[in-house]
Amino acid sequence: MSRFLVDRDGETHVRLLEGMELTKGQTVLAAAGLVLLFLVPDITRFTGLSFTAIHRGILFGLAAVGLNLLLRHTELVSFGHAAFFGVGAYGAAVLASHFDVSSGLLLLLGGVLAATTIAVLVGYFVAGYLDIYFALLTLAFNQVLYAFVLQSSYFNYSDGLSVRPDGLNPPTLFGLEWTSAGYDLILYYFTVVVLVVSLLVMWKLINSPFGRALDAIGQNRTRARFVGIPVEKYVWVAFVISGIYGGLAGGLFALLQLHVSPDPTLYAFVSGEILFMAILGGFGTLVGPVIGGVVLVYLLVQAPFYVEYYNALTGLTLVAVVLFLPEGILGSIPKIGTGLARRRRDPGLLREDVTAIGSSLRQSVTRAVTTVRIIVFGVN
């Protein structure tokens, strides 16, 4: 075995980083996913898929990766992560509009620093709370920021700010001015690099002693304190890291859209969408939130062209995921693969599936009728 190939339980694994070892199948999937990401501009050119929608989906997915650090490891649900996404976007927009900063990297850095500052402040106040109180506090801070920006002339009220430093051209990238098409392409490839690095950093983090301490906090805070883990401090740090991911995604979003306004970045519904992305893709996985981000954003952007009640379609998608894919798209793939293999060996299991689905639907209808009866008549 070479330094890149190791034997684990009789199976060959590929070592990508120290401690990061994938099976051959996982390595092929990871390589295929990476190649697919870099081929997206060509694929969209020949298929008619929306390049911008996929790019936006990756950015929101990156924010969902940050949110997932809290959701998966500390079991804390944040309803306010749009705050960091929006602050990251506005941080870049303020530098471009009010200070004429033309470097895209400096704009991104400004957005990340602004989001980090807000995450430090908000995290300090919410780190000691649990469950619904934590969720409501994050939502409240999100709404305070949204209302402040909406009423402020500095942020140009609901019209928002341009991210064109000279009022006409996009910021420079790597010291160069680009055509519109070249700018979009270079920014996309830069986003892919940022995404891959961010995922690797997150992987290292959650597999470190710090990540294991977060798992312990998520399982039982009292027990975690008993073994000496400073719970509030660790949650605070995790919250700040989560906010940095949101700010990074928001800053890139500002560079992509070249205009930032409150509703697409800071509104509370955006927080709900980021949370939905993590669940949709599979919050038990590292990459699942990115897939959830692409799927949901594409659905939200493209569905209005085909369906009048596209918001209902989004709701139905959430219901379907909760009922049939509780571990999300990526998280359910191994289970689906195992299930299909079993049914190929024993087709009789399909009859049991139909019976189980029918039983589940009957129980759901019965519960719905009972609920309506209680609401209308006051008794069951």
Side-chain angles (χ1 to χ4, degrees):
M1 292 287 166
S2 69
R3 59 178 295 197
F4 297 108
L5 296 176
V6 293
D7 186 73
R8 292 278 182 263
D9 301 325
E11 187 176 6
T12 302
H13 286 64
V14 179
R15 176 182 290 164
L16 300 180
L17 296 171
E18 183 64 34
M20 183 184 234
E21 297 169 359
L22 304 180
T23 63
K24 287 182 178 177
Q26 290 171 331
T27 306
V28 171
L29 283 177
L34 193 58
V35 170
L36 184 64
L37 275 175
F38 279 101
L39 288 179
V40 161
D42 298 309
I43 293 172
T44 54
R45 192 179 306 126
F46 292 110
T47 60
L49 293 171
S50 172
F51 174 58
T52 305
I54 294 175
H55 194 169
R56 286 181 59 179
I58 292 173
L59 294 178
F60 275 100
L62 178 60
V65 170
L67 171 67
N68 204 33
L69 178 65
L70 292 173
L71 183 64
R72 178 183 178 187
H73 298 281
T74 65
E75 299 191 1
L76 291 170
V77 178
S78 169
F79 286 149
H81 255 55
F84 312 119
F85 187 88
V87 170
Y90 266 97
V94 166
L95 288 177
S97 292
H98 294 304
F99 298 95
D100 297 330
V101 176
S102 60
S103 167
L105 295 182
L106 286 180
L107 296 178
L108 180 60
L109 179 62
V112 172
L113 288 177
T116 305
T117 304
I118 295 298
V120 169
L121 293 174
V122 175
Y124 176 78
F125 290 105
V126 304
Y129 291 88
L130 282 168
D131 304 327
I132 190 67
Y133 303 102
F134 179 88
L136 289 178
L137 276 172
T138 53
L139 175 63
F141 279 112
N142 189 166
Q143 284 302 88
V144 168
L145 277 172
Y146 173 74
F148 176 73
V149 169
L150 197 63
Q151 301 296 325
S152 169
S153 60
Y154 188 76
F155 296 108
N156 200 23
Y157 306 109
S158 61
D159 290 336
L161 297 173
S162 170
V163 193
R164 299 177 187 270
D166 60 359
L168 183 63
N169 296 305
T172 61
L173 290 176
F174 307 108
L176 299 173
E177 294 182 358
W178 302 84
T179 62
S180 177
Y183 176 85
D184 289 343
L185 200 59
I186 293 298
L187 183 62
Y188 173 78
Y189 288 130
F190 180 61
T191 297
V192 172
V193 172
V194 169
L195 174 69
V196 172
V197 173
S198 301
L199 288 174
L200 290 174
V201 170
M202 184 60 77
W203 185 89
K204 291 290 284 183
L205 188 71
I206 60 181
N207 287 283
S208 67
F210 175 75
R212 295 187 184 94
L214 293 182
D215 287 332
I217 292 169
Q219 291 166 13
N220 191 313
R221 281 199 175 199
T222 304
R223 194 180 301 157
R225 280 195 191 90
F226 184 74
V227 299
I229 298 173
V231 171
E232 281 75 17
K233 188 180 294 183
Y234 272 47
V235 171
W236 187 16
V237 173
F239 192 88
V240 173
I241 294 171
S242 183
I244 290 173
Y245 273 71
L248 183 60
L252 287 167
F253 179 83
L255 295 179
L256 171 66
Q257 296 298 115
L258 297 176
H259 187 270
V260 176
S261 58
D263 282 351
T265 57
L266 277 168
Y267 195 40
F269 279 175
V270 179
S271 292
E273 289 171 1
I274 295 173
L275 179 61
F276 182 19
M277 290 167 192
I279 297 171
L280 177 64
F283 70 90
T285 65
L286 178 66
V287 185
V290 180
I291 294 174
V294 174
V295 172
L296 183 61
V297 169
Y298 206 89
L299 195 64
L300 291 172
V301 171
Q302 294 298 311
F305 294 110
Y306 305 100
V307 184
E308 185 175 358
Y309 301 104
Y310 60 94
N311 285 323
L313 180 64
T314 309
L316 288 173
T317 304
L318 178 59
V319 170
V321 168
V322 171
L323 289 179
F324 302 110
L325 299 173
E327 295 174 18
I329 297 171
L330 193 63
S332 299
I333 287 178
K335 189 177 289 183
I336 292 173
T338 305
L340 290 176
R342 287 183 59 205
R343 279 149 187 78
R344 275 200 299 271
R345 290 194 300 270
D346 183 5
L349 289 173
L350 288 172
R351 283 196 298 274
E352 295 180 15
D353 292 338
V354 173
T355 304
I357 292 173
S359 174
S360 176
L361 290 175
R362 280 196 299 275
Q363 290 175 5
S364 298
V365 171
T366 303
R367 282 197 297 269
V369 169
T370 303
T371 303
V372 171
R373 189 185 298 135
I374 291 173
I375 292 173
V376 174
F377 300 107
V379 295
N380 185 4

